[in-house]
Amino acid sequence: MLSKKLQKALNDQMQAEMSSAYIYFSMSSWFKAQNLNGFASWMSLQAQEEMDHVMKIYGYIHDRGGEVELRALPAPQKSWKSPLAVFQDTYKHEQKITGRINDLCALADSDNDNATRVLLNWFVTEQVEEEANVLGVVETLKMIEGHPGGIYMLDKEMAGRSASPEVA
Ligand code: FEO
């Protein structure tokens, strides 16, 4: 059985993951409006991955006999000044999510809840990958800043992202 404290923290995390999906859908929509369809597709897949993260926690809370609480989501930002600003925000957001996962790990450890720790270990690994992917895009965008041709080429490359097996 999950402790009440851990159950609340996992429900909070579910809200944070759903909120991430909302933010990334908003970013995808902004890219679409700029006619940057490769970036839009990349962000849409990112949003779908976040929903997959929600479902992982949702299933886990049920498996442990806990109670799922679905919360209201804040409305996401609607526009950005450049593709670089979008990805800088994404990187900051993912760092925040990593911090939340680390706090959850500490809570699971203090509860001696090994099953939750195993669930969270997946998220620890996932965050390393997410931060690295996003930072890679930030660095590329910095390199090509002010060069529309570079943005055009990167947009084509971003279109090549395919869904992860869990999302496909
Ligand atoms: Fe679910 Fe991007 O962290």
Side-chain angles (χ1 to χ4, degrees), residues 38-39 137 140-141 144 149-159:
F39 282 103
V137 180
T140 307
L141 281 167
I144 61 178
I151 300 283
Y152 176 82
M153 294 295 287
L154 184 58
D155 187 58
K156 299 285 162 232
E157 197 183 311
M158 296 295 270

Side-chain angles (χ1 to χ4, degrees), residues 110-127:
S110 74
D111 264 12
N112 201 22
D113 189 329
N114 293 319
T116 300
R117 194 59 160 86
V118 169
L119 170 86
L120 292 171
N121 285 346
W122 183 90
F123 281 89
V124 170
T125 307
E126 175 71 5
Q127 283 309 119

Side-chain angles (χ1 to χ4, degrees), residues 16-93:
E17 300 286 350
M18 199 57 157
S19 198
S20 302
Y22 234 40
I23 292 166
Y24 297 150
F25 274 131
S26 185
M27 288 171 167
S28 176
S29 183
W30 181 80
F31 277 125
K32 254 190 184 311
Q34 314 308 307
N35 210 23
L36 290 168
N37 292 319
F39 282 103
S41 160
W42 193 100
M43 260 316 163
S44 168
L45 286 171
Q46 186 72 19
Q48 288 172 56
E49 279 200 6
E50 297 303 346
M51 280 161 48
D52 189 52
H53 299 170
V54 173
M55 292 313 293
K56 250 188 204 304
I57 302 170
Y58 172 92
Y60 178 77
I61 294 173
H62 277 295
D63 285 350
R64 294 291 307 277
E67 191 181 346
V68 164
E69 284 171 30
L70 298 175
R71 314 240 170 85
L73 301 174
Q77 185 175 331
K78 287 198 292 197
S79 66
W80 287 264
K81 73 175 195 327
S82 65
L84 177 59
V86 174
F87 274 86
Q88 281 172 328
D89 279 3
T90 302
Y91 186 56
K92 265 188 255 157
H93 183 74

